[in-house]
Amino acid sequence: MEKKNLDWANLSFSYVKTDYRYVANYTAAAGKWDEGGLTTDDQIVMSEDAGVLQYSQSVFEGLKAYTTKDGHIVTFRPDLNAQRMYDSAKRLEIPPVPVDQFVDAVHQVVKANEAWVPPYGTGATLYLRPYVFGISPVIGVKPADDYQFRVFCTPVGPYFKGGAKPIYVRITDYDRAAPHGTGNIKAGLNYAMSLEAIVEAHQAGFAENIYLDAATRTKIEETGGANILFVAQDDTLVVPKSNSILPSITRRSLVYVAEHYLGMKVDERPVYLKEVLDGEFKECGLCGTAAVISPIGKINDHGKDYEFASGMEEMGPWMSKLRSTLLGIQEGEIEAPEGWIHVIG
Ligand SMILES: *Cc1c(COP(=O)(O)O)cnc(C)c1O
């Protein structure tokens, strides 16, 4: 199989139309998802009154396929993405896609687009975007009758070109998620309302917004698209816990790596902004599929800066160890826990 002629190491994180995508349909009449299959058609034709267009009834996932050191094409824990999209769908009254069908769809899309999977060593990956949305007309506020599930893929470049430099972030006055809202599901609606906040943050010179809990505005939640991790002065990995944080698969994997590979103590609990400002933590990082860990060097809280001991030059030693261990597991250089690596070819 001949690979596409792309400059893999210099791809950005943007959409490129690849050859195949997967489509399945659910109708209220059938009461179930159809078998689905691959298509080359990247266009969607739907009613002007589709549920997704009127009331944002849609949820999505994000995961990557990549080439391991020994030349296999794999995905990382796709069953967890499947389960998370199942849970997200239920919260928005979308008929959930069965976990096995999700994993099979991802498998089919990667296999059909093998020529687009970046070679090992380039740092690039094939990003997969599964999503499901209400496609039938809805005008009174209620769930749509019919739904479509799609998976497309797009090659994306290395997240860090030339090293993982610590970022400068701010505490924002916007809220991301209400206490019993939708913060714990992966839905486009959570992103739409974060756009103004992120545009303003970028204009002010910050890489990201850190959201506090909406109820008390005292606890650290996460950023718009990544969970947050801290390392305490006694080397414990401290992980903010709250019902309105999105359950990141990277974060859950890093917690396992910390305990079982690095022998770290892990404390998952509410984390107060005050603890950060009082110097309880020496390292901080964002985690998610794209970057694995992106180090935070400095936090701005309403004009006042707090810089972590690890500083603005390099990733701290623990974040660095966590990141390289999980990357090593993903790339087949370190033995993975049972079931983490889904081999496609
Ligand atoms: C997707 C997402 C993450 C990261 O989740 P991963 O499964 O690790 O990629 C974190 N926070 C939010 C709000 C997200 O949407």
Side-chain angles (χ1 to χ4, degrees):
M1 183 264 330
E2 189 142 340
K3 291 284 177 191
K4 300 284 173 182
N5 184 23
L6 299 179
D7 182 7
W8 302 106
N10 290 304
L11 294 171
S12 59
F13 197 87
S14 53
Y15 175 76
V16 174
K17 186 185 154 190
T18 54
D19 296 330
Y20 295 96
R21 63 278 300 128
Y22 175 97
V23 184
N25 286 290
Y26 176 100
T27 59
K32 61 178 171 57
W33 286 97
D34 70 13
E35 199 179 313
L38 295 172
T39 172
T40 56
D41 190 356
D42 63 319
Q43 300 292 307
I44 302 172
V45 176
M46 66 177 125
S47 165
E48 63 187 353
D49 190 33
V52 62
L53 299 178
Q54 303 313 322
Y55 304 124
S56 297
Q57 203 188 6
S58 80
V59 295
F60 70 98
E61 274 302 324
L63 69 162
K64 58 193 182 185
Y66 50 93
T67 309
T68 57
K69 199 174 185 183
D70 60 0
H72 287 296
I73 292 175
V74 305
T75 56
F76 183 71
R77 311 187 80 178
D79 52 315
L80 295 193
N81 294 95
Q83 184 60 51
R84 191 169 63 189
M85 197 175 85
Y86 193 100
D87 298 338
S88 297
K90 288 213 311 209
R91 177 66 175 78
L92 296 193
E93 290 292 334
I94 294 173
V97 174
V99 165
D100 289 347
Q101 184 169 3
F102 179 106
V103 173
D104 178 56
V106 163
H107 191 103
Q108 286 190 47
V109 168
V110 176
K111 213 169 166 63
N113 292 290
E114 204 180 325
W116 294 93
V117 181
Y120 175 77
T122 58
T125 59
L126 187 71
Y127 183 76
L128 289 142
R129 172 51 57 87
Y131 58 115
V132 50
F133 57 97
I135 198 165
S136 58
V138 171
I139 198 74
V141 176
K142 66 179 173 64
D145 287 332
D146 305 336
Y147 296 84
Q148 190 164 93
F149 166 46
R150 297 181 77 99
V151 182
F152 69 79
C153 63
T154 183
V156 297
Y159 193 84
F160 299 117
K161 302 193 173 107
K165 276 271 176 193
I167 55 172
Y168 181 30
V169 303
R170 76 167 177 195
I171 304 293
T172 179
D173 286 329
Y174 287 98
D175 290 324
R176 192 190 84 90
H180 303 281
T182 55
N184 60 340
I185 65 165
K186 210 164 175 77
L189 55 88
N190 289 332
Y191 280 76
M193 59 91 213
S194 77
L195 296 176
E196 185 174 36
I198 195 68
V199 168
E200 287 179 10
H202 287 167
Q203 280 167 354
F206 301 100
E208 281 292 348
N209 288 303
I210 290 183
Y211 291 96
L212 301 177
D213 72 297
T216 70
R217 308 198 55 79
T218 56
K219 287 171 265 181
I220 301 273
E221 294 247 302
E222 60 174 322
T223 67
N227 284 182
I228 302 180
L229 306 169
F230 296 96
V231 177
Q233 297 298 352
D234 71 353
D235 298 325
T236 301
L237 181 68
V238 179
V239 183
K241 186 169 167 179
S242 139
N243 292 336
S244 43
I245 292 178
L246 194 282
S248 157
I249 293 162
T250 313
R251 181 249 295 168
R252 287 179 274 162
S253 302
L254 286 166
V255 162
Y256 187 92
V257 164
E259 283 178 332
H260 295 89
Y261 285 71
L262 302 180
M264 294 176 85
K265 244 179 49 205
V266 177
D267 195 3
E268 299 189 74
R269 61 168 173 85
V271 173
Y272 289 85
L273 172 60
K274 185 171 185 307
E275 297 178 73
V276 177
L277 303 177
D278 285 349
E280 300 290 333
F281 306 116
K282 55 185 175 184
E283 293 182 43
C284 180
L286 301 181
C287 68
T289 293
V292 179
I293 292 180
S294 177
I296 291 178
K298 204 158 65 169
I299 294 183
N300 184 282
D301 175 33
H302 297 88
K304 273 207 306 246
D305 277 340
Y306 176 82
E307 186 164 334
F308 291 94
S310 54
M312 286 301 288
E313 288 306 314
E314 291 173 21
M315 190 180 297
W318 282 112
M319 288 295 163
S320 193
K321 252 180 266 186
L322 283 162
R323 181 165 188 273
S324 62
T325 307
L326 184 54
L327 270 175
I329 289 170
Q330 291 182 338
E331 292 178 346
E333 286 166 3
I334 297 172
E335 191 172 350
E338 179 82 28
W340 279 24
I341 306 295
H342 175 89
V343 179
I344 287 171

